[in-house]
Amino acid sequence: MTFADADAPGRNRDDAFWMPFTAMRQYRRKPMNFVSADAMHYETDDGRRILDGMAGLWCVNAGHGQPRITQSIRDMAGQLDFVSSFRMSHPGAAAMAQALTALAPVGLDHAFFVSSGSEAVDSALKIARAYHQARGEGRRVKLIGRAKGYHGMGWGGLSVSGIGRHKRDFGPLLGEVAHLPLPYDATMAFSDGQPRHGADYAQALEQIVAVNDAGTIAAVIVEPVTGSGGVYPPPHGYLDALRAICDRHGILLIFDEVITGFGRLGASFAAQAYGVLPDLLTCAKGMTNGAVPMGAVLARDTVFDAFMAGPPDAIELLHGYTYSAHPLACAAGLATIAVHDEFGLNARAARLEPLWRQTARGLRDAPHVADIRTAGILAGIDLTPRSGASGARGNDCAQACFEAGMLIRNAGDTLLLSPPLVLDKADIERLFKTIHDILNRLD
Ligand SMILES: Cc1ncc(COP(=O)(O)O)c(C=O)c1O
């Protein structure tokens, strides 16, 4: 094709951009186009300021257009556009790995870089299997996910996902998979943060072990707080119990922290907030403040060392991506970590969390509200579905929020909120008051 062909009939179509996770024909009737962003706000192409209640897509934790991050990306683009990480490197890669592992819980001391949460999850699942293979336990191939878990759109992540409709059109997926139940039930509705009971849900792992034979199971992967599946914080003691059962049976525990990482729960990672150390941890999104695609798998020594025991000249892990440790991503990541430190974003999130939780709970008396869950600066609000039209009320509420100048998401009839951590009291009040006002008039 030449550039002249761009003007040929049939080119310049408004459906040239095949959009992800979007009802495109509906979208084109009501487009939502953003042209700039700053701190807590987006600006639309028709000049409206929109309060960002989602940190973009759970990623812009330090606020939009953060000057230090933007400048670092600019500088690196002018200095070093690309270096492969296959048999070569650049100073930013080692610096980012060191800065990231310094943030992580003690014990997670190795970082494998990728370019997204999906790649991080698929990499972690492959590392888990290869770890057992390296130790002579190659029968351990089964992967255990959990109901409502979201682990991205790679084949591995989709296979362990606990959201059935995401898998519907793409089978067959990995066969060697089982799922834990969501550790949540109606008795926990309106829990103030973590449900007090429910640790027993972890015993479901013992049942899976019993019917599968522990020696065939490679890993369990969970989001410490189920994120896009609806924001479900773990019951007190649940993650500890999972950890203990994994230890008992030689199963690796993977925390998918693509949403919970980078300050969202008032600590760098949920592993620290809940005091439970996984064997592998995946992160992405907030690690570059969303400004350049990047993800990582963090690994414990016990895992890493198993790979380093083979022949000294062999490639230890036959896995990687063209853009692993991309210089621009490393520059953005280093600046993001510096900004988190400079502005004390973990402490800020921890300080705001009680106000966030209480203000969210203020929706309890609003029409249609069936449950409210919060964890750190995350909220999930279940609305009762309209009869025969599951998801319609959630869609209408999210759309009405946008028309009122605020971006939130919905998963069916569950409203989801995850604003940048630079928000203040007035932002918190506006987010929940807007939803309250909309619910008062929504049928
Ligand atoms: C917990 C979790 N894991 C993995 C992913 C996939 O990340 P990405 O969309 O960057 O591939 C997401 C995305 O929302 C996520 O929330």
Side-chain angles (χ1 to χ4, degrees):
M1 185 186 123
T2 64
F3 285 112
D5 293 336
D7 294 328
R11 301 281 165 187
N12 292 325
R13 297 170 54 136
D14 67 355
D15 59 0
F17 174 29
W18 192 345
M19 298 173 73
F21 272 116
T22 300
M24 276 186 67
R25 286 158 296 170
Q26 184 197 44
Y27 172 85
R28 278 153 61 212
R29 288 195 294 277
K30 262 192 188 171
M32 189 189 276
N33 257 325
F34 298 117
V35 292
S36 66
D38 176 37
M40 287 298 298
H41 292 89
Y42 277 114
E43 191 182 323
T44 61
D45 56 355
D46 55 356
R48 297 170 58 223
R49 256 166 84 76
I50 304 290
L51 178 63
D52 183 2
M54 273 312 296
L57 192 57
W58 327 81
C59 49
V60 188
N61 292 1
H64 291 277
Q66 214 294 326
R68 184 164 176 177
I69 300 172
T70 310
Q71 192 57 46
S72 299
I73 299 167
R74 275 198 194 104
D75 291 347
M76 189 52 73
Q79 184 189 327
L80 183 63
D81 54 355
F82 176 80
V83 185
S84 164
S85 289
F86 298 6
R87 302 179 183 201
M88 61 195 78
S89 191
H90 60 96
M96 180 60 189
Q98 279 159 19
L100 184 60
T101 52
L103 272 192
V106 175
L108 287 167
D109 292 334
H110 310 275
F112 187 91
F113 289 120
V114 299
S115 298
S116 68
S118 301
E119 287 183 0
V121 167
D122 279 13
S123 300
L125 298 175
K126 287 177 76 176
I127 289 171
R129 281 187 170 179
Y131 159 81
H132 292 298
Q133 187 76 38
R135 292 166 53 257
E137 284 201 70
R139 285 176 63 236
R140 287 190 182 265
V141 295
K142 289 196 178 106
L143 303 166
I144 315 294
R146 192 171 66 183
K148 284 199 187 268
Y150 182 82
H151 301 290
M153 288 290 122
W155 292 109
L158 195 55
S159 300
V160 293
S161 151
I163 304 177
R165 69 180 187 286
H166 287 176
K167 307 187 205 185
R168 191 187 56 200
D169 302 333
F170 305 110
L173 302 172
L174 292 184
E176 299 293 329
V177 163
H179 287 81
L180 294 164
L182 181 74
Y184 200 82
D185 56 52
T187 65
M188 301 175 192
F190 298 103
S191 293
D192 210 13
Q194 285 183 269
R196 282 187 216 311
H197 64 279
D200 289 354
Y201 273 100
Q203 293 310 315
L205 182 54
E206 286 287 14
Q207 289 161 24
I208 290 176
V209 168
V211 298
N212 283 278
D213 167 15
T216 65
I217 301 177
V220 171
I221 180 165
V222 293
E223 299 165 84
V225 176
T226 299
S228 50
V231 181
Y232 292 88
H236 281 285
Y238 170 84
L239 294 173
D240 310 70
L242 272 190
R243 175 73 273 178
I245 299 170
C246 285
D247 285 345
R248 203 173 304 141
H249 298 292
I251 300 168
L252 293 183
L253 180 61
I254 307 172
F255 279 178
D256 183 352
E257 296 231 29
V258 167
I259 286 178
T260 50
F262 292 89
R264 189 52 60 194
L265 300 182
S268 293
F269 293 99
Q272 290 144 322
Y274 297 130
V276 177
L277 186 66
D279 300 294
L280 294 166
L281 183 156
T282 53
C283 57
K285 294 193 187 269
M287 80 188 278
T288 55
N289 208 35
V292 181
M294 188 178 215
V297 182
L298 302 181
R300 262 163 97 158
D301 274 343
T302 40
V303 175
F304 181 79
D305 291 348
F307 287 86
M308 298 300 141
D313 297 330
I315 295 176
E316 293 91 356
L317 180 63
L318 286 159
H319 177 68
Y321 301 94
T322 299
Y323 300 117
S324 289
H326 191 285
L328 266 61
C330 291
L334 284 164
T336 299
I337 290 171
V339 165
H340 270 258
D341 189 39
E342 183 184 345
F343 293 97
L345 290 183
N346 292 352
R348 184 184 175 87
R351 202 169 55 247
L352 286 173
E353 191 273 337
L355 177 70
W356 173 260
R357 185 161 28 96
Q358 281 152 28
T359 316
R361 278 176 74 81
L363 285 176
R364 190 174 177 148
D365 302 325
H368 315 302
V369 172
D371 192 8
I372 299 167
R373 299 175 294 274
T374 62
I377 308 297
L378 287 171
I381 301 150
D382 289 349
L383 306 181
T384 48
R386 284 187 194 132
S387 102
S390 167
R393 187 170 274 141
N395 274 338
D396 288 354
C397 187
Q399 182 62 34
C401 281
F402 182 65
E403 277 149 26
M406 198 173 94
L407 182 70
I408 66 162
R409 277 181 74 73
N410 67 295
D413 287 303
T414 301
L415 308 180
L416 303 169
L417 283 90
S418 167
L421 305 178
V422 293
L423 83 173
D424 61 18
K425 185 168 183 279
D427 296 321
I428 295 176
E429 283 164 358
R430 180 166 161 216
L431 283 166
F432 291 110
K433 179 169 186 317
T434 305
I435 294 172
H436 206 297
D437 291 348
I438 288 167
L439 290 177
N440 275 334
R441 57 184 156 81
L442 201 69
D443 68 317

